[in-house]
Amino acid sequence: MTATLWASGCSTAPLDVGHATTAAVATGPRTATIPSADPIPVAESPTPRLPATVRTHDGHTVTVTDVSRIVALDRYGSYGTAVFALGLGRNLVGRDIATKFPAAAAVPLMTPGGTDANVEAIIAQRPTVVLTDASLPNAAVLERQLTSTGILVVVGDADRTVAGTDALLRFTAAALGVPGPGDQLTHRVDTQLADAKRAIPPDADRPRIAFVYARGTGLLILGGPGSGADSLIDAIGGRDAGTAAGLTDAFTSLTSEGLIKAAPDVLLMMSDGLASVGGVDGLLKVPGVAETPAGRNRRVIDMDDGELLSFGARTGDVAMALSRALYGPR
């Protein structure tokens, strides 16, 4: 199934040419959006085939016998989103802060500080299985404390890339005993990613796109290789500006010199992050931004914090929305 996607605020106009920009790329600020705030289930209340045995990323073999009370926790909201997309949203009794779509709003939050999970709060939910990975800072302590109380913990791979999406979804589906819906979900995402590839204009060069994470002007980070955003940028026909500029770390503190050297044609940000620096006007006051091709043309794409790097059930939706925002309606 392929969803219809759109982006608000798109326009096309002659551009100040940067490293690899053409008139095929839209100009001005845009917000990339997907049509459904909630992940669309591929099945309604599927019957899990249990017990389900899986090999976890930390090298253990675990057998899941009950998925009636699921806690899903990672930095990106990947597992919580997948649980809903697989049709098991009613079974979710605990979530991370990145699982923030409307259908999950009533599910108790287990990471009140943003990333560290509250062990006592998790135990209080009496989960039958906890899905998590090393993307949480206290992941090792969390697993040890939960398993000591008899709670089953399933540890997945913490890496997040477009290429790893199918494996993440199949692993989650297998652990929850719903491999059939897992196959349906991966097929849907793969179809959407293929659609996003086809949406790249044939005459477009590869614009340099810089992912900037912000929480006020005091915390500005430039994405590089392994940030996750780099794989999304590649999926929509762009080049990751941080990687092209020679960054070796996934995230590096943003400096005016580093940003000017990266010379992005487009800046990609989370919506809350953009708002935290005062929107596009405030962003242009950050040293170095106005001196980039992106700044000169106000080419800033923002997307909801809970969607942009969620990776998994909505990766295809995200890629298509970003493609529309980057190139404009086609």
Side-chain angles (χ1 to χ4, degrees):
M1 174 176 119
T2 304
T4 301
L5 304 157
W6 66 90
S8 63
C10 286
S11 63
T12 56
L15 300 180
D16 172 17
V17 176
H19 282 84
T21 322
T22 74
V25 178
T27 191
R30 289 89 67 199
T31 296
T33 58
I34 57 180
S36 175
D38 293 321
I40 301 172
V42 294
E44 292 295 334
S45 302
T47 301
R49 291 158 44 187
L50 300 172
T53 300
V54 293
R55 182 78 170 172
T56 65
H57 188 67
D58 57 353
H60 298 121
T61 298
V62 298
T63 298
V64 181
T65 59
D66 187 347
V67 296
S68 61
R69 298 185 65 81
I70 304 167
V71 169
L73 304 171
D74 68 295
R75 184 187 292 270
Y76 312 95
S78 305
Y79 299 125
T81 304
V83 169
F84 271 84
L86 290 167
L88 295 174
R90 296 175 183 173
N91 298 26
L92 193 68
V93 298
R95 63 177 174 94
D96 51 61
I97 198 168
T99 305
K100 57 179 294 187
F101 44 86
V107 178
L109 181 63
M110 302 289 103
T111 57
T115 53
D116 284 337
N118 185 314
V119 177
E120 291 76 18
I122 296 172
I123 294 173
Q125 291 302 315
R126 298 176 289 106
T128 57
V129 60
V130 175
L131 293 170
T132 190
D133 60 36
S135 64
L136 297 181
N138 66 336
V141 174
L142 175 68
E143 182 182 6
R144 184 169 61 251
Q145 292 181 329
L146 292 178
T147 54
S148 70
T149 67
I151 294 174
L152 183 66
V153 179
V154 178
V155 179
D157 189 348
D159 287 343
R160 293 292 185 275
T161 64
V162 172
T165 296
D166 281 7
L168 183 150
L169 294 175
R170 291 188 190 280
F171 174 82
T172 304
L176 300 179
V178 285
D183 290 340
Q184 293 175 261
L185 185 55
T186 54
H187 175 73
R188 183 171 78 186
V189 171
D190 289 346
T191 299
Q192 292 168 332
L193 286 170
D195 288 343
K197 283 285 187 184
R198 283 192 290 270
I200 300 171
D203 59 338
D205 292 328
R206 299 187 67 193
R208 285 198 184 201
I209 304 174
F211 173 65
V212 177
Y213 178 87
R215 282 300 178 264
T217 56
L219 179 59
L220 290 163
I221 300 173
L222 178 62
S227 69
D230 58 336
S231 69
L232 275 173
I233 289 168
D234 180 71
I236 60 173
R239 289 191 296 163
D240 181 66
T243 301
L247 294 184
T248 57
D249 294 330
F251 296 101
T252 302
S253 294
L254 184 70
T255 64
S256 58
E257 295 83 1
L259 187 60
I260 292 171
K261 179 182 178 182
D265 301 305
V266 181
L267 296 176
L268 174 62
M269 301 184 68
M270 293 180 176
S271 298
D272 287 351
L274 181 60
S276 76
V277 298
V280 174
D281 290 337
L283 180 65
L284 290 173
K285 296 176 183 177
V286 173
V289 173
E291 283 71 50
T292 65
R296 289 193 291 271
N297 288 279
R298 298 173 65 87
R299 293 192 211 99
V300 181
I301 296 176
D302 70 284
M303 193 169 197
D304 184 88
D305 295 41
E307 296 172 355
L308 181 55
L309 296 182
S310 60
F311 287 108
R314 293 193 290 187
T315 300
D317 281 342
V318 169
M320 193 63 195
L322 290 175
S323 181
R324 285 289 186 92
L326 179 61
Y327 302 114
R330 303 193 70 79

